[in-house]
Amino acid sequence: MNIVLLGPPGAGKGTQAASLSESYHLQWISTGDMLREVVATQGDMSEMIRAIMDKGGLIPDEIMLQMLSNRISIESKGKKNFLLDGFPRTLEQAHSLDGILKDQNLQLDAVIHIQLDDQHIVERISGRLYCADCGTGYHTVFHPPKQAGICDLCGSKNIVRRSDDSQSSIEGRLREHHEKTAPLLPYYRQRDLLYEVDGDGRVDVVQGRINEVIASFAANTFAGREKEACL
Ligand code: AMP
């Protein structure tokens, strides 16, 4: 089962992807995390990528496609199913993803869209924190660490904000989302791949909604494939 997780910035894609990948044994591929790793290496492209991310812009498609096709080809050699978080973000990326999957003889089973309105997004992003040592996510209001400033998981005191969670960056990210990513919804709806999930509410409540969606399409998809295999 291969899944794309779509949604505006701050909708909770990363948080949900972390638990979904564990529950369903999916390889979690987050293009945002891949880019943050590139920035951290301080290599040739890191300055350019950091500057775009800090403004809330999108990294050019050619760079993203190269990155993603390398990663999918590695995962498919290991016969892993994947959960894509943060890709595709443009129609061009969606078309290229179709090509990459076809070349690897893979198929997309579902696109889950976590919906959240702009007001909730700003609230969520402006309180977002993460542990710079182990990556665990927190929120000042909705999910603070049990002990202020200390990571529940690894005990690190390195709890920080993402550099692209500033007010000006949030505006840029929302603009990019509405202009470039929202057109993916009709694209996947037309192909009967799109499942909408309300992203408002506690993490476990949203997770329950996603689980219901996965149960519904998994039943249809696998029943369909078994039928095809019998023909
Ligand atoms: P995320 O962690 O998914 O919120 O992504 C953080 C930032 O990384 C985005 O605001 C973009 O600047 C960049 N980014 C992540 N994925 C993509 C993508 N598929 N295409 C272009 N830029 C991306």
Side-chain angles (χ1 to χ4, degrees):
M1 157 168 98
N2 297 314
I3 300 178
V4 162
L5 209 50
L6 280 185
K13 295 188 297 297
T15 308
Q16 296 298 339
S19 56
L20 286 175
S21 57
E22 240 186 85
S23 312
Y24 297 96
H25 308 290
L26 302 173
Q27 192 62 39
W28 173 17
I29 303 179
S30 156
T31 44
D33 283 350
M34 289 164 77
L35 290 164
R36 282 183 280 278
E37 274 166 30
V38 173
V39 170
T41 59
Q42 302 187 337
D44 289 351
M45 285 196 306
S46 60
E47 222 7 74
M48 180 268 285
I49 289 179
R50 192 191 55 75
I52 297 176
M53 287 173 84
D54 282 354
K55 279 198 214 121
L58 291 183
I59 309 304
D61 285 339
E62 316 81 76
I63 298 180
M64 296 312 302
L65 290 168
Q66 184 66 50
M67 243 182 208
L68 191 88
S69 72
N70 291 345
R71 179 71 190 268
I72 290 201
S73 107
I74 293 170
E75 301 303 349
S76 76
K77 282 195 189 97
K79 303 253 178 284
K80 299 248 176 78
N81 287 321
F82 59 80
L83 175 64
L84 273 180
D85 156 20
F87 190 99
R89 261 179 156 100
T90 64
L91 269 176
E92 183 171 349
Q93 290 183 9
H95 291 136
S96 305
L97 177 63
D98 293 340
I100 294 171
L101 294 180
K102 199 165 168 222
D103 288 349
Q104 307 274 345
N105 220 2
L106 297 170
Q107 73 180 65
L108 189 58
D109 295 300
V111 176
I112 301 177
H113 175 222
I114 308 182
Q115 297 169 308
L116 199 64
D117 63 42
D118 288 7
Q119 194 193 328
H120 281 95
I121 290 168
V122 174
E123 258 171 43
R124 287 239 190 126
I125 296 187
S126 43
R128 199 151 73 160
L129 300 168
Y130 77 104
C131 170
D133 289 321
C134 73
T136 304
Y138 296 99
H139 191 281
T140 46
V141 180
F142 305 122
H143 176 44
K146 289 187 187 115
Q147 253 186 294
I150 299 181
C151 178
D152 297 350
L153 215 73
C154 74
S156 158
K157 291 187 177 158
N158 214 355
I159 307 277
V160 294
R161 277 171 72 95
R162 266 170 53 170
S163 63
D164 62 342
D165 276 352
S166 65
Q167 187 62 36
S168 61
S169 158
I170 297 174
E171 285 164 15
R173 287 159 79 194
L174 278 174
R175 202 170 37 245
E176 293 286 46
H177 175 77
H178 291 303
E179 280 174 18
K180 298 186 183 152
T181 310
L184 297 180
L185 302 177
Y187 177 73
Y188 286 123
R189 191 175 290 119
Q190 265 170 15
R191 294 171 53 192
D192 260 350
L193 285 173
L194 186 72
Y195 296 83
E196 303 270 11
V197 168
D198 179 3
D200 190 17
R202 286 199 330 257
V203 170
D204 58 326
V205 172
V206 177
Q207 201 177 318
R209 293 178 191 140
I210 296 179
N211 284 335
E212 276 175 31
V213 157
I214 293 184
S216 75
F217 79 68
N220 293 339
T221 307
F222 297 114
R225 283 201 197 145
E226 270 168 28
K227 208 166 143 197
E228 268 172 33
C230 293
L231 292 175

